[in-house]
Amino acid sequence: MAILANGESRLLIDGKLVAGTAGTFPTVNPATEEVLGVAADADSDDMGRAIAAARSAFDDTDWSTNTELRVRCLRQLKDALREHVEEMRDITVAEVGAPRMLTSGAQLEGPIDDLSFAADTAETYEWRTDLGHATPQGIPTRRTLAREAVGVVGAITPWNFPHQINLAKVGPALAAGNTLILKPAPDTPWCAAAVGEIIAEHTDFPPGVINVVTSSDHAVGALLSQDPRVDMVSFTGSTATGRAVMTDAAATIKKVFLELGGKSAFLVLDDADLAGACSMAAFTAAMHAGQGCAITTRLVVPRAKYDDAVEAAAATMGSIKPGDPTSKRTVCGPVISARQRDRIQGYLDLALQEGGRFACGGGRPADRDTGFFIEPTVIAGLDNNARVAREEIFGPVLTVIAHDGDDDAVRIANDSPYGLSGTVFSGDDARAQAVAARMRVGTVNVNGGIWYSADAPFGGYKQSGIGREMGVAGFEEYTEIKLIATAAN
């Protein structure tokens, strides 16, 4: 792969790999703080050309109606990514700091394989539905419901699971007949640029159908929300940035999909295996250094068993040492940047100021002088009003909160501006299901069930977003509904 060979990436605009007008910017290994190489730095003119190319490809070609071509191109992309999976793995571990073990799942191989779901959905989808005859206002009419592509889609993505989030937008958006501009986070430009390189060199995607624009300037991505030539913006990231995307998109009333923050609760009921549940909560919160929007970072446990719960969580969390992401044994690697590490440390300092204590962790590992590492940390002694219990930290930090029964546990879980995910553990499945049904969240894990899958929709309530990604629901986010009414004699 040219990126690994040259230490440099390029933009993909209108079917061509090109340099960025603003030059280049560095991409850094968060485990070593070393510069890996450089990425193409796009400016507003580059983004304008990408938008123009996507607009032309949608308006002036048969891409939106040629389902056979779309399916073939997506399957080519999946196969080509599979052929280059080891190079992609090396880029992902180095640039994201993702533990190698996670690249066999959601960090790389899972999203590649999920492209098959997008292609299969497009191939078998009922693009037209006959609603039958009716006589509205006394006029005999035959009604047909049509699903069509939205148009030009701007996809703005974060750094924590770049392949998962990039391909979860690229796959369904293109499968549905849209054209697309992908603007990845400045922290992980190579992950997206590598996909662009493979598209240009190993697939039949027509020019302009998919464009990859890397840039160090967040304002370049904001152009996708502002430009009237873009019909839809699909954004994953912080709630604060999501608000800005929504505000910018309002000027042209463009369609918006938002997958935003979370502060998800892991509820342990009084009949659950306390040690087992708390151990699972701690392991989950430490994985990939806690850099996941749906990770359960509030452990809500029975008040009578609070001390035992803290001890169990700390035993697991304290045993997980931040390590080299290239090692197959590492669970918790670095956080993405010095900026993010300092932000997390600020929250840890705040926890002490608010009256909390650390059952384990609390700062940088003593044995790591380089790399953006934070110890997996359990915070105890605070209630759900503490800022560390209400605000998204995005690090390996678990706050343990006491509840006084099922109703109180549900109240605590729902007492949040977010509503992305949740977990319930109980010795009684029916009891756990009843609690899960009352949680105001988009996904719930009951007694260890797995909700992540290509065919299952993902998204949240409240300030965790608008719409769903993945599954048929995620595919349909990238479509419009048209009703065709034909006079019937």
Side-chain angles (χ1 to χ4, degrees), residues 110 113-118 121 164 168-169 172 257 259 294 420 442-445 449-460 467-478:
D113 291 342
D114 289 351
L115 288 171
S116 292
F117 179 82
T121 300
Q164 163 55 38
K169 297 182 188 303
F257 165 83
E259 196 273 285
L420 189 54
T443 60
V444 187
N445 165 343
I450 302 296
W451 47 258
Y452 172 75
S453 178
D455 63 347
F458 171 71
R468 292 296 179 270
E469 199 149 63
M470 304 175 69
V472 174
F475 175 86
E476 290 182 339
E477 290 286 349
Y478 296 97

XYZ file of all heavy atoms in Angstrom, residues 110 113-118 121 164 168-169 172 257 259 294 420 442-445 449-460 467-478:
327
model
N -14.741 -6.549 11.051
C -16.198 -6.520 11.106
C -16.795 -5.523 10.133
O -17.677 -5.884 9.327
N -16.502 -6.723 6.473
C -17.473 -7.777 6.145
C -18.888 -7.237 6.085
O -19.730 -7.744 5.323
C -17.376 -8.908 7.165
C -16.078 -9.696 7.056
O -15.416 -9.608 6.000
O -15.715 -10.372 8.036
N -19.167 -6.192 6.862
C -20.522 -5.620 6.890
C -20.897 -4.948 5.571
O -22.086 -4.683 5.329
C -20.650 -4.619 8.031
C -20.655 -5.290 9.398
O -20.736 -6.529 9.442
O -20.553 -4.567 10.411
N -19.921 -4.662 4.714
C -20.248 -4.125 3.392
C -21.120 -5.096 2.607
O -21.899 -4.684 1.743
C -18.976 -3.808 2.611
C -18.183 -2.585 3.096
C -16.831 -2.511 2.386
C -18.965 -1.302 2.863
N -21.001 -6.389 2.905
C -21.857 -7.379 2.240
C -23.320 -7.143 2.571
O -24.189 -7.322 1.707
C -21.456 -8.800 2.656
O -20.198 -9.144 2.151
N -23.600 -6.741 3.816
C -24.987 -6.474 4.189
C -25.546 -5.320 3.380
O -26.698 -5.373 2.902
C -25.100 -6.173 5.684
C -26.499 -5.877 6.126
C -27.388 -6.906 6.399
C -26.957 -4.568 6.247
C -28.693 -6.636 6.791
C -28.254 -4.286 6.634
C -29.130 -5.327 6.912
N -24.760 -4.268 3.205
C -25.221 -3.120 2.416
C -25.496 -3.537 0.975
O -26.527 -3.170 0.389
C -24.189 -2.006 2.461
N -28.561 -5.839 0.809
C -29.799 -5.095 1.037
C -30.234 -4.374 -0.230
O -31.411 -4.404 -0.613
C -29.611 -4.086 2.187
O -29.261 -4.791 3.378
C -30.893 -3.302 2.434
N -15.193 1.326 11.388
C -16.585 1.020 11.688
C -17.493 2.167 11.266
O -18.505 1.967 10.587
C -16.741 0.741 13.185
C -18.164 0.800 13.712
C -19.112 -0.107 12.970
O -18.746 -1.214 12.593
N -20.332 0.354 12.744
N -19.792 2.235 7.909
C -21.220 2.183 8.238
C -21.988 3.314 7.576
O -23.220 3.266 7.479
C -21.424 2.235 9.746
N -21.284 4.339 7.121
C -21.913 5.406 6.341
C -21.723 5.156 4.841
O -22.668 5.258 4.055
C -21.326 6.759 6.745
C -21.585 7.137 8.194
C -21.036 8.506 8.535
C -21.111 8.809 10.022
N -22.448 8.726 10.613
N -24.074 1.808 3.279
C -25.496 2.019 3.010
C -25.786 3.242 2.147
O -26.705 3.219 1.328
C -26.126 2.154 4.394
C -25.027 2.241 5.356
C -23.787 1.748 4.718
N -28.467 13.145 9.777
C -28.357 11.987 10.665
C -27.271 12.293 11.686
O -26.169 12.715 11.324
C -27.985 10.711 9.896
C -27.528 9.602 10.813
C -28.456 8.793 11.441
C -26.185 9.390 11.073
C -28.056 7.798 12.325
C -25.769 8.398 11.946
C -26.704 7.595 12.575
N -25.257 10.720 15.154
C -24.970 9.717 16.190
C -23.977 10.376 17.126
O -22.831 10.618 16.756
C -24.413 8.439 15.557
C -24.466 7.247 16.487
C -23.250 7.143 17.393
O -22.177 6.760 16.918
O -23.400 7.468 18.597
N -20.894 4.261 23.116
C -21.916 3.413 23.720
C -21.406 2.633 24.923
O -22.145 1.829 25.496
C -22.463 2.444 22.671
N -28.081 6.630 24.734
C -27.532 5.810 23.651
C -27.627 4.323 23.938
O -28.133 3.549 23.125
C -26.070 6.206 23.387
C -25.418 5.588 22.149
C -26.235 5.848 20.882
C -23.994 6.124 21.974
N -31.332 3.626 23.068
C -31.518 2.984 21.773
C -31.126 1.524 21.730
O -31.628 0.760 20.899
N -30.200 1.103 22.602
C -29.782 -0.298 22.656
C -29.639 -0.716 24.112
O -29.183 0.065 24.951
C -28.428 -0.533 21.946
O -27.421 0.253 22.590
C -28.488 -0.155 20.485
N -30.014 -1.960 24.405
C -29.879 -2.494 25.765
C -29.295 -3.902 25.695
O -29.781 -4.753 24.948
C -31.226 -2.540 26.519
C -30.985 -2.934 27.981
C -31.956 -1.225 26.450
N -28.274 -4.124 26.494
C -27.682 -5.448 26.682
C -28.315 -6.041 27.930
O -28.195 -5.482 29.019
C -26.156 -5.270 26.835
C -25.434 -6.482 27.398
O -26.026 -7.373 27.978
N -24.127 -6.488 27.261
N -26.155 -10.047 26.460
C -26.476 -10.108 25.038
C -25.685 -9.089 24.237
O -25.282 -8.046 24.755
N -25.447 -9.382 22.959
C -24.671 -8.511 22.079
C -25.597 -7.843 21.073
O -26.284 -8.528 20.303
C -23.576 -9.305 21.331
C -22.643 -9.987 22.332
C -22.803 -8.382 20.392
C -21.852 -9.039 23.200
N -25.605 -6.510 21.066
C -26.488 -5.802 20.130
C -25.771 -5.362 18.864
O -26.404 -5.010 17.874
C -27.118 -4.582 20.805
C -26.190 -3.705 21.584
C -26.038 -3.677 22.942
C -25.292 -2.714 21.075
N -25.082 -2.744 23.301
C -24.610 -2.133 22.168
C -24.995 -2.261 19.783
C -23.657 -1.128 22.029
C -24.035 -1.260 19.634
C -23.387 -0.709 20.746
N -24.435 -5.389 18.845
C -23.686 -4.914 17.674
C -23.721 -5.952 16.562
O -23.242 -7.075 16.710
C -22.237 -4.622 18.065
C -21.336 -4.308 16.884
C -21.418 -3.086 16.246
C -20.433 -5.249 16.403
C -20.610 -2.794 15.151
C -19.613 -4.967 15.321
C -19.707 -3.740 14.703
O -18.920 -3.459 13.617
N -24.299 -5.578 15.417
C -24.395 -6.487 14.274
C -24.798 -5.665 13.051
O -25.503 -4.669 13.170
C -25.443 -7.574 14.536
O -25.588 -8.426 13.422
N -24.343 -6.120 11.870
C -24.637 -5.380 10.637
C -26.122 -5.238 10.380
O -26.564 -4.243 9.805
C -23.973 -6.077 9.448
N -26.919 -6.221 10.802
C -28.344 -6.206 10.493
C -29.183 -5.573 11.600
O -30.421 -5.585 11.523
C -28.839 -7.624 10.209
C -28.720 -8.554 11.408
O -28.033 -8.186 12.391
O -29.301 -9.657 11.360
N -28.527 -5.009 12.621
C -29.252 -4.439 13.757
C -29.042 -2.930 13.819
O -27.910 -2.454 13.770
C -28.766 -5.076 15.059
N -30.112 -2.151 13.929
C -29.977 -0.692 13.954
C -29.334 -0.207 15.246
O -29.564 -0.750 16.324
C -31.418 -0.198 13.831
C -32.246 -1.317 14.367
C -31.522 -2.576 14.009
N -28.535 0.859 15.137
C -27.841 1.444 16.280
C -28.080 2.946 16.289
O -27.958 3.616 15.266
C -26.339 1.161 16.181
C -25.517 1.901 17.198
C -25.568 1.546 18.535
C -24.705 2.956 16.814
C -24.813 2.232 19.480
C -23.941 3.646 17.756
C -24.006 3.282 19.090
N -28.400 3.466 17.458
C -28.611 4.903 17.606
C -29.212 5.174 18.970
O -29.393 4.260 19.774
N -29.521 6.440 19.248
C -29.944 6.769 20.592
C -31.152 7.672 20.692
O -31.665 8.189 19.701
N -31.945 9.384 14.355
C -31.864 8.367 13.317
C -31.133 7.122 13.788
O -30.726 7.000 14.946
N -30.964 6.183 12.866
C -30.316 4.917 13.162
C -29.283 4.585 12.094
O -29.463 4.897 10.915
C -31.342 3.778 13.257
C -32.270 3.861 14.451
C -31.499 3.723 15.759
N -32.343 3.810 16.950
C -32.618 4.932 17.589
N -32.146 6.094 17.140
N -33.361 4.919 18.676
N -28.195 3.962 12.544
C -27.137 3.501 11.649
C -27.122 1.981 11.685
O -27.385 1.381 12.722
C -25.782 4.055 12.099
C -24.722 4.031 11.017
C -23.730 5.169 11.180
O -23.025 5.206 12.196
O -23.682 6.032 10.294
N -26.806 1.367 10.529
C -26.763 -0.088 10.376
C -28.183 -0.659 10.323
O -29.166 0.013 10.632
C -25.924 -0.746 11.466
C -24.506 -0.192 11.529
S -23.498 -0.823 12.894
C -23.272 -2.530 12.381
N -28.260 -1.925 9.894
C -29.551 -2.555 9.708
C -30.311 -1.951 8.541
O -29.847 -1.013 7.880
N -31.504 -2.468 8.280
C -32.339 -1.913 7.212
C -32.726 -0.478 7.544
O -32.797 0.385 6.663
C -33.594 -2.790 6.995
C -34.539 -2.135 5.990
C -33.198 -4.174 6.504
N -32.942 -0.198 8.834
C -33.282 1.171 9.236
C -32.160 2.126 8.870
O -32.409 3.255 8.430
C -33.563 1.221 10.737
N -30.903 1.690 9.043
C -29.775 2.529 8.674
C -29.661 2.744 7.185
O -29.302 3.832 6.720
N -29.972 1.714 6.421
C -30.015 1.832 4.953
C -31.067 2.850 4.542
O -30.833 3.716 3.687
C -30.314 0.452 4.364
C -30.498 0.418 2.878
C -29.419 0.295 2.018
C -31.770 0.502 2.322
C -29.597 0.256 0.643
C -31.961 0.466 0.958
C -30.861 0.334 0.115
N -32.236 2.779 5.150
C -33.345 3.659 4.758
C -33.127 5.111 5.192
O -33.796 6.006 4.656
C -34.654 3.110 5.322
C -35.082 1.819 4.623
C -36.394 1.266 5.130
O -36.799 1.612 6.270
O -37.022 0.476 4.400
N -32.208 5.359 6.126
C -31.862 6.752 6.456
C -31.383 7.496 5.214
O -31.529 8.718 5.114
C -30.765 6.799 7.523
C -31.184 6.358 8.904
C -32.052 7.367 9.630
O -32.176 8.515 9.156
O -32.606 7.003 10.681
N -30.779 6.773 4.272
C -30.191 7.385 3.075
C -31.142 7.365 1.885
O -30.715 7.481 0.742
C -28.879 6.676 2.736
C -27.840 6.872 3.819
C -27.636 5.906 4.798
C -27.095 8.042 3.889
C -26.704 6.089 5.806
C -26.158 8.240 4.894
C -25.975 7.259 5.850
O -25.051 7.449 6.857
